Amino acid sequence: MKSVEVNFDGLVGPTHNYAGLSEGNMASLSNAQNSSNPKQAALQGLKKMKALHDMGLTQGVFAPQERPDIYTLKRLGFQGSDAQILAAAYKASPSILASCCSASTMWTANAATVSPSADTSDQKVHFTAANLANKFHRSLEPKTTSNILQAMFADEKYFKHHQHLNDNEHFGDEGAANHTRLCQSYGENGVEIFTYGRFAFNRNMPAPIKFPARQTFEASQAIARLHGLSTEKAVFVQQNPAVIDQGVFHNDVIAVGNQNVLLYHEQAYLNTDAFVEEVRSKFTGEQLHFLKVTTEQVAIKEAVNTYLFNTQIVTLNDNSMAIIAPMHCRENKRVYDFLQSLIADNNPINDVKFFDVNESMKNGGGPACLRLRVALNEAELQAVNPACLLSNKLYEQLVVWVNAHYRDKLMIDDLRDPQLLIESRTALDELTEILSLGSVYRFQQ
Ligand code: SUG
């Protein structure tokens, strides 16, 4: 049975803004308080989805969440009408209000960890929504993320959903951003690589000093257990704490894999040689390509600024691979030259395509952050909610929907505008119809 990898891209929500909420994420901090353009952000994301669809890939759409999150504001003691709650929260702390308005669910690489059926003990596709416990604004995501995942992958014959790990930093889990799967072809048993930033229960182990390590070893192990992965096929590797302290807040900012290719920076991991050896020994298949990028070729700072590694490597229908990169990689000569040499070299990557996802990049989200990968065989693909798979018609519909509902300018001050809440709910209500999701949002229940 033929298997494919489907990218489910996060549709940017109507409250997309720059609030400087993510310590350790350079772009988020440096663009704090800038004005955002939610309409453009959503259209940029849709354009990337459409381009991948046009390249012959199967492309999915992952719905955004309800923001402002009035329920969280109520839980924090703000009372009265919706308008009063928004005003009181803004008065108490614009940052608390901004956290409850963040459109951060667009980065669906952080939505969940997914293990394809070829890897799991019960041969189902397993999903665990990430708890995102390290950042308050992101910790608001997992419950609704699960609702949406279940609305997209409903058939219990094929799909298994787990509750997100306990909401505590000991089990801090950032989903697929710290998870890479290497395999000969998507339908074959693969090696699942879990990258963590620190140990929660052992203070003697290495850890970053300046910025937080969001993912713990214990969380990664829990996910592998829940998904029924064989120890023969799972690899746990620590991220180099020194690069976390330079702004590499997720592993997908410094490494990217696809099938039998791993593109990684030489400073990405601790004990790289042992890691490479372990992957080699656990991988079944023909040739593995470890494409190492040295500091001399691309410095960590350049990798963080251009998001060279937050690219998508995709397999096209002729089995060649292409790399989907942000514009920043075209604008930086060294990175651009590196990419040209990469596609000219003897490895499966033969093409590079650049995309403008700048509205997302300004919050530290490149092309790879915007997508959740789900490898599916034919029967599983048939069982996916078809309304969430991109077609020309769905693309046109979503463009019309964005143009009808989204603003083209948003400042932190605007987040207390009760009209924005109404606009956002109206838009999402319509979206659940378009994507046939049912009542996944609290305001609909
Ligand atoms: O969690 N930015 C996100 C970016 C996530 C990128 N994802 C991956 N690398 N997979 C984060 O730091 C910024 C929000 C703000 O500051 O307004 C933010 O949440």
Side-chain angles (χ1 to χ4, degrees), residues 184-222:
Q184 189 61 43
S185 67
Y186 295 120
E188 284 175 69
N189 193 206
V191 175
E192 297 204 14
I193 303 169
F194 292 84
T195 311
Y196 55 89
R198 70 181 177 99
F199 290 80
F201 292 97
N202 188 342
R203 288 174 189 275
N204 297 320
M205 300 300 274
I209 298 161
K210 195 170 159 202
F211 292 139
R214 299 196 196 185
Q215 178 97 27
T216 67
F217 168 72
E218 291 82 352
S220 296
Q221 290 232 310

Side-chain angles (χ1 to χ4, degrees), residues 16-25 27-29 31-32 98 102-110 132 135 137-138 141 174 176-178 214 249-253 307 310 360 362-366 368-371 412:
H16 160 64
N17 71 88
Y18 302 118
L21 300 174
S22 280
E23 191 206 356
N25 168 343
S28 152
L29 294 191
N31 288 302
S102 177
S104 54
T105 61
M106 71 171 85
W107 300 298
T108 52
N110 305 116
L132 299 163
K135 298 277 178 276
H137 69 293
R138 304 223 57 184
E141 301 177 24
E174 300 279 320
N178 291 323
R214 299 196 196 185
F249 56 99
H250 288 134
N251 181 246
D252 68 4
V253 177
Y307 265 34
N310 201 263
S360 166
K362 285 200 241 167
N363 254 338
C369 299
L370 286 162
R371 61 94 168 89
I412 298 298

Side-chain angles (χ1 to χ4, degrees), residues 123-178:
Q123 274 126 49
K124 292 187 185 187
V125 186
H126 284 240
F127 299 84
T128 302
N131 63 18
L132 299 163
N134 181 259
K135 298 277 178 276
F136 171 63
H137 69 293
R138 304 223 57 184
S139 72
L140 309 178
E141 301 177 24
K143 178 77 185 67
T144 305
T145 296
S146 266
N147 291 348
I148 298 171
L149 282 170
Q150 288 180 47
M152 292 197 293
F153 305 96
D155 194 332
E156 291 176 11
K157 183 167 165 216
Y158 299 108
F159 307 121
K160 171 90 186 152
H161 298 270
H162 302 276
Q163 186 183 4
H164 62 276
L165 299 182
N166 301 66
D167 298 283
N168 185 286
E169 281 210 55
H170 278 73
F171 284 94
D173 172 26
E174 300 279 320
N178 291 323

